[in-house]
Amino acid sequence: MGEKPSVEVEHESLSAVDDRIIGIAFRWSLAALVLIVLTGGVAIWYLKDRRQSRVQYTRPGAPVTPERMEAEIPRAGFKDITDEAGIRFVHNNGAYGEKLLPETMGSGVAFLDFDNDGDQDLLFVNGTWWPWHVPEGKSPTTCALYRNDGTGRFEDVTPGSGLDVSLYGTGIAVGDYDNDGLVDIFITGVGENRLFHNEGGGRFRDVTAAAGLTSHTNDWNTGAAWVDIDNDGDLDLFVCKYVKWSREIDIEVDYRLVAAALPTSLQKRASRSRIPPREFRWRNRSPWRQSM
């Protein structure tokens, strides 16, 4: 019975130690919590301040047109050297006052090296006088072949070339259709086409009929192109046709292009004359024969 007081003293001593430990732990926890709150507040303030510093406010106002840089336009360096080059060609449309439709059209021209000397020569397609109205003292006009001498000057070599023939020409296409190394010539026109074979030595031969390229009297052919449509190594021919035309039709339709505006008696005929017929395609069945 004399030992009980010492047990109670020991118990009270342990309780005091526990209270002190709990107090220390509480103070450290509180300090850690305060530190965390302060750190978080500082971080939030820093990020918010940094974000606001990146935002730039612009006071709205009238748009300003940026200054335009003036581009310097290059000067085209072209000079008319027709006379200097020796070219004297003048196109003849045969006009005499009736204002026929073909008279309003020009004609074709082509660069070609017809003599294989490495210089591009010139061939001008020409019209001619109408057969029913040839001015007194005038000779039929022909195409004009000019040979390039390699120095920028051209010489008229039409006489004796085989191209000094009269036709009312419109278009031209050049190509070596028989693969002999010499460029040949196809000319379209009013009422006829012409195919000229290059014989060499500055000479051409009319092979239109032999090649099967004749056309009808009222056909008016315009453009043409040599093209190998079937990849057989031979140039084929595509010809564009414009209208069926004759002087009589041209006068009867009173120079108008719209058939509906014509008298009933002329509408059918005008439709036939003004609606282009189908184009022609000729396939090359070498050596010289073309077939539609």
Side-chain angles (χ1 to χ4, degrees):
M1 293 195 51
E3 294 180 355
K4 287 183 179 180
S6 62
V7 173
E8 291 179 357
V9 171
E10 183 179 355
H11 177 72
E12 291 177 358
S13 177
L14 290 175
S15 296
V17 172
D18 290 341
D19 291 341
R20 188 167 56 256
I21 292 174
I22 291 173
I24 294 172
F26 175 77
R27 285 192 295 272
W28 277 108
S29 298
L30 183 60
L33 180 61
V34 171
L35 182 62
I36 291 172
V37 170
L38 289 175
T39 303
V42 171
I44 292 173
W45 172 82
Y46 174 77
L47 294 175
K48 183 178 180 180
D49 183 70
R50 186 177 181 185
R51 184 181 304 166
Q52 289 178 348
S53 65
R54 292 181 179 179
V55 178
Q56 296 181 356
Y57 295 96
T58 303
R59 180 174 296 178
V64 179
T65 303
E67 183 180 354
R68 296 181 61 183
M69 299 295 294
E70 294 294 333
E72 183 179 353
I73 300 176
R75 186 175 180 179
F78 291 95
K79 178 184 176 183
D80 187 347
I81 58 170
T82 307
D83 292 335
E84 181 183 335
I87 298 173
R88 304 288 184 265
F89 173 78
V90 177
H91 180 258
N92 176 25
N93 65 358
Y96 60 94
E98 285 194 327
K99 300 180 181 178
L100 302 176
L101 184 59
E103 297 169 0
T104 66
M105 308 293 184
S107 59
V109 61
F111 277 104
L112 71 163
D113 184 9
F114 76 88
D115 52 1
N116 284 343
D117 64 352
D119 300 313
Q120 290 296 308
D121 311 300
L122 278 169
L123 176 61
F124 293 89
V125 177
N126 206 352
T128 190
W129 307 110
W130 295 113
W132 57 85
H133 193 281
V134 179
E136 185 177 354
K138 295 289 185 179
S139 301
T141 51
T142 70
C143 297
L145 179 64
Y146 284 84
R147 186 181 67 85
N148 187 344
D149 67 2
T151 66
R153 291 192 57 80
F154 291 83
E155 176 189 3
D156 189 343
V157 294
T158 310
S161 66
L163 298 174
D164 48 351
V165 295
S166 181
L167 73 157
Y168 207 106
T170 304
I172 182 172
V174 297
D176 182 11
Y177 75 88
D178 59 349
N179 294 327
D180 65 351
L182 298 172
V183 63
D184 309 300
I185 298 168
F186 181 77
I187 296 176
T188 65
V190 178
E192 60 181 328
N193 302 317
R194 295 289 187 93
L195 176 63
F196 295 94
H197 180 260
N198 192 336
E199 303 285 296
R203 292 280 304 170
F204 292 84
R205 181 164 58 95
D206 189 337
V207 294
T208 310
L213 296 177
T214 55
S215 60
H216 300 291
T217 304
N218 289 343
D219 287 343
W220 181 359
N221 306 306
T222 52
W226 292 103
V227 57
D228 186 4
I229 61 174
D230 51 3
N231 288 329
D232 65 352
D234 299 314
L235 287 178
D236 309 300
L237 186 60
F238 183 85
V239 179
C240 298
K241 304 191 69 177
Y242 185 31
V243 293
K244 293 271 186 188
W245 183 88
S246 71
R247 174 176 176 263
E248 292 74 23
I249 294 174
D250 210 335
I251 294 175
E252 285 186 18
V253 300
D254 195 23
Y255 319 116
R256 288 174 290 186
L257 297 178
V258 182
L262 303 178
T264 305
S265 60
L266 296 180
Q267 285 185 11
K268 186 174 181 180
R269 188 168 186 181
S271 297
R272 290 200 306 267
S273 66
R274 296 306 187 187
I275 296 177
R278 66 185 180 91
E279 288 79 9
F280 280 158
R281 289 175 294 173
W282 276 282
R283 181 180 179 184
N284 189 339
R285 299 186 183 277
S286 56
W288 281 2
R289 185 67 181 177
Q290 310 279 331
S291 65
M292 289 177 56

